[in-house]
Amino acid sequence: MYAVIDGGVVPRGKVRVSGAKNSATRLLAASLLSDEAVVLRNFPTRLVDVGHKIGFCEKLGAQISINHATETAQIDATSLKTRLLTRDDYDVPIRTTYLLTAAQILRSGMARIPYPGGCPIGGGSGGGRGYDQHILVWEALGATVVEKDDHIEISAQQGFVGGDVHFTKSTVGGTENALMSAAIAKGQTRIYNAYITPEIEDLIKFLRRMGAEIEVSGASHIVVDGRGGALGGTHMSVMSDRIEALTWLVYAAISGGELTIENVPFSSMEVPLLHMRHAGIDFFQNQNSIHVTPDCLTSGSVQPFELACGAHPGVISDMQSFFVMLALKAEGTSRIFDYRYPDRIAFVHELAKLVSGDHLDAETGKIVVRGPAQFKPGVADSTDLRGSMAAVMAALCADGRSVIENVHMALRGYNGLADKLASIGGRIEIHEGRKAAQ
């Protein structure tokens, strides 16, 4: 899949931030723990990752009704059970397949799930996929884990039993898995070295509304008193996507546009917004929206900066590429460090294809940006979700036609991206297949 973008149009209008991908896909998995109806509002129905997860859930017997107009999902998991699927069925290109374990254990005493990322790795090597922390959770709660050629098999015929989960490293996915598994376990589970992000807070809120008893102490310790069975039904809105909100804010600032960004989750992005202000962007905000105009640049341009990406509540690694984009318009040299995922720099090489001159240097854990730079039309590939969106933004700012290959990566994280861009003047066409660079 590729995008053809005719750039150089200054964006104007309103754009609404959708429900967060990193919350919605988790709440969808958690909804399978109920034998009653569950309704999710503010649900990003058009996300590619959401579609893949819904498809796999339906293969297991869940009934999921999506309403694109109202952005709601209604879930009925009463018919869900574990099934032995084909190799193609297990080839699911998402990383959060492990969250589908608890619902299968609840109903069948056994779960069969794809390897994270959908790759039939086998042999337990994981190929660097890093699902060892999930095995740690399942075994701590009394399950037996067998790694097959094309899927992982988890067995707990009498259900999960509460226990102590000691993560060897702080992990978002592991914490999510432990919360869902512990919620249906018999007895109490204590989770140590948990990683609590805004999206995990959303998951805890959701599980509590379904009847789970969860206590959080400090920033890394969670105690769950399991129900020993299915949870109840509920209705809840998915939290807004903090990464999408930052994306639109940066795009408005570097393009000279006039954008009103609605449904902004201010409470979950205080530090990133502080860094924006330190870079000389004095945007207007009210209770749930931000308004950006060229007048927001207090000195007439973006100011150079240094920042380090790490864990919440700071600037998370998923936001790195957008601060690189901001730095390309700064009057001077900026430095962006990433201590959590230091190898996340491949997007810089592709982004440089859409920048006139030599303005970008990247090495492990560090990106140096010499601004100000001008964007130029060209052909660039997508290396990851956020890097793909950075390339799309660069193409939108460049005067002329650009092609972004593998743009489906951006569509994994931005609900209705093409329609939103069109509504503010962006000229973008999404095409199936692959277009050779010309």
Side-chain angles (χ1 to χ4, degrees), residues 335-404:
R335 296 173 179 83
I336 297 102
F337 303 89
D338 192 336
Y339 299 128
R340 188 166 177 85
Y341 297 105
D343 294 324
R344 196 173 188 173
I345 56 176
F347 76 93
V348 176
H349 175 73
E350 295 301 319
L351 182 59
K353 297 176 181 178
L354 303 173
V355 177
S356 296
D358 183 16
H359 293 272
L360 290 162
D361 286 320
E363 60 185 72
T364 301
K366 178 182 178 182
I367 301 172
V368 178
V369 185
R370 294 176 295 276
Q374 295 296 318
F375 297 106
K376 67 177 182 179
V379 178
D381 204 352
S382 301
T383 59
D384 63 278
L385 192 164
R386 308 302 170 184
S388 178
M389 189 60 201
V392 168
M393 290 167 62
L396 289 166
C397 292
D399 287 323
R401 175 165 290 187
S402 298
V403 174
I404 308 301

Side-chain angles (χ1 to χ4, degrees), residues 17-23 26 42 172 176 195-202 238-250 261-273 276 290 310-319 322-323 340 386 413-414:
V17 177
S18 295
K21 174 184 81 77
N22 290 339
S23 178
R26 279 63 168 177
N42 195 38
V172 172
E176 295 163 342
Y195 186 10
I196 302 174
T197 66
E199 291 79 14
I200 286 181
E201 291 173 346
D202 215 32
V238 179
M239 68 173 287
S240 299
D241 196 316
R242 54 184 170 145
I243 304 169
E244 183 188 352
L246 180 69
T247 304
W248 296 119
L249 177 54
V250 170
I261 305 158
E262 300 176 328
N263 208 26
V264 177
F266 289 106
S267 62
S268 65
M269 52 188 305
E270 292 177 355
V271 175
L273 293 180
M276 293 287 290
I290 288 177
H312 177 78
V315 176
I316 61 173
S317 183
D318 276 350
M319 297 175 174
F322 307 119
F323 279 101
R340 188 166 177 85
R386 308 302 170 184
Y414 293 87

Side-chain angles (χ1 to χ4, degrees), residues 269-311:
M269 52 188 305
E270 292 177 355
V271 175
L273 293 180
L274 183 63
H275 279 287
M276 293 287 290
R277 287 193 169 95
H278 285 171
I281 304 169
D282 185 22
F283 47 82
F284 307 99
Q285 72 178 69
N286 60 21
Q287 187 174 1
N288 63 3
S289 65
I290 288 177
H291 186 59
V292 184
T293 73
D295 292 336
C296 291
L297 297 178
T298 54
S299 62
S301 62
V302 178
Q303 298 304 300
F305 56 87
E306 290 193 1
L307 65 81
C309 300

Side-chain angles (χ1 to χ4, degrees), residues 80-94:
L80 184 145
K81 63 180 180 179
T82 190
R83 288 172 167 82
L84 186 60
L85 304 174
T86 68
R87 176 178 287 266
D88 287 342
D89 289 330
Y90 284 123
D91 189 17
V92 182
I94 54 176

Side-chain angles (χ1 to χ4, degrees), residues 190-194 196 215-223:
R190 292 166 292 276
I191 306 169
Y192 299 91
N193 198 25
I196 302 174
E215 294 295 330
V216 179
S217 300
S220 61
H221 182 54
I222 303 173
V223 177

